Amino acid sequence: MIEIATSEDFDAIAALNVSAYAEFAPKLAPGGWEVMQKNLQNIAERSRVAQFMVCRTGGDLVGSVGYCPAGNGDPSIFRPDMAAVLLLAVHPHHRGKGLAKALTAACIVKAREDDGAASIGLFSSELMTAAQRLYRGLGFEFESELPMRLGLRYFRFVLPLTSNIRRT
């Protein structure tokens, strides 16, 4: 079951993010993992523009995602009419159970029904091939390559939310 995170969850989300992304550490440019960890752990700061949702199993937080309403995303990555999916993370021991799909789908629903966004976007690195398969399976399409960071290529994926088009 997906629920809205509270500020009491922020430390657990930060720890989950580090666990979920640690597999990429050896493939980053020198010093990259230290930079990435800071980005993965700044949940309180990100919560100013994004709402976090979590999944729990037996009381343990095992999945999380940040949803950023249209207009609140990083303008160097997201257009003003684009909602965003941020920091999708599932604990390695809980992968393959559909949690990432459910969390991403919850963001799509919020963008479409609550926010009325024209589209929803996300970015992913060249290393995150499993995530990219998930996003494509949900209808996201590759839109563009972003500037390299941490020695990796990054890509923006976008899902148009055409049901929001008003007919006159």
Side-chain angles (χ1 to χ4, degrees):
M1 179 161 108
I2 297 171
E3 56 190 59
I4 302 301
T6 67
S7 59
E8 288 88 38
D9 294 316
F10 291 173
D11 288 342
I13 293 170
L16 170 66
N17 287 346
V18 171
S19 294
Y21 286 80
E23 68 185 276
F24 305 117
K27 297 179 179 162
L28 300 176
W33 179 236
E34 290 74 20
V35 172
M36 183 180 261
Q37 282 184 86
K38 288 179 184 172
N39 291 333
L40 294 170
Q41 294 174 320
N42 68 356
I43 305 306
E45 180 182 330
R46 287 180 186 256
S47 73
R48 293 184 202 137
V49 296
Q51 179 180 57
F52 283 85
M53 295 179 273
V54 297
C55 292
R56 298 177 202 279
T57 298
D60 295 328
L61 197 143
V62 297
S64 70
V65 69
Y67 169 74
C68 190
N72 287 359
D74 180 341
S76 69
I77 300 173
F78 303 108
R79 295 185 304 270
D81 65 346
M82 185 183 290
V85 176
L86 306 172
L87 295 175
L88 176 64
V90 174
H91 191 281
H93 295 133
H94 293 275
R95 291 182 180 160
K97 300 176 183 178
L99 298 177
K101 183 176 184 178
L103 287 162
T104 306
C107 291
I108 294 168
V109 168
K110 286 186 86 53
R112 181 179 282 132
E113 296 177 7
D114 298 347
D115 196 18
S119 61
I120 186 167
L122 54 87
F123 63 95
S124 181
S125 84
E126 63 185 296
L127 300 177
M128 300 173 187
T129 55
Q132 290 176 32
R133 280 191 302 277
L134 166 74
Y135 303 142
R136 289 179 196 276
L138 288 168
F140 285 84
E141 297 178 357
F142 169 83
E143 185 184 74
S144 62
E145 188 162 344
L146 299 169
M148 287 186 75
R149 32 168 101 175
L150 309 175
L152 298 174
R153 295 172 64 204
Y154 276 81
F155 313 100
R156 180 176 43 229
F157 290 83
V158 176
L159 175 66
L161 301 174
T162 56
S163 65
N164 292 326
I165 296 174
R166 291 183 171 80
R167 301 182 193 275
T168 55

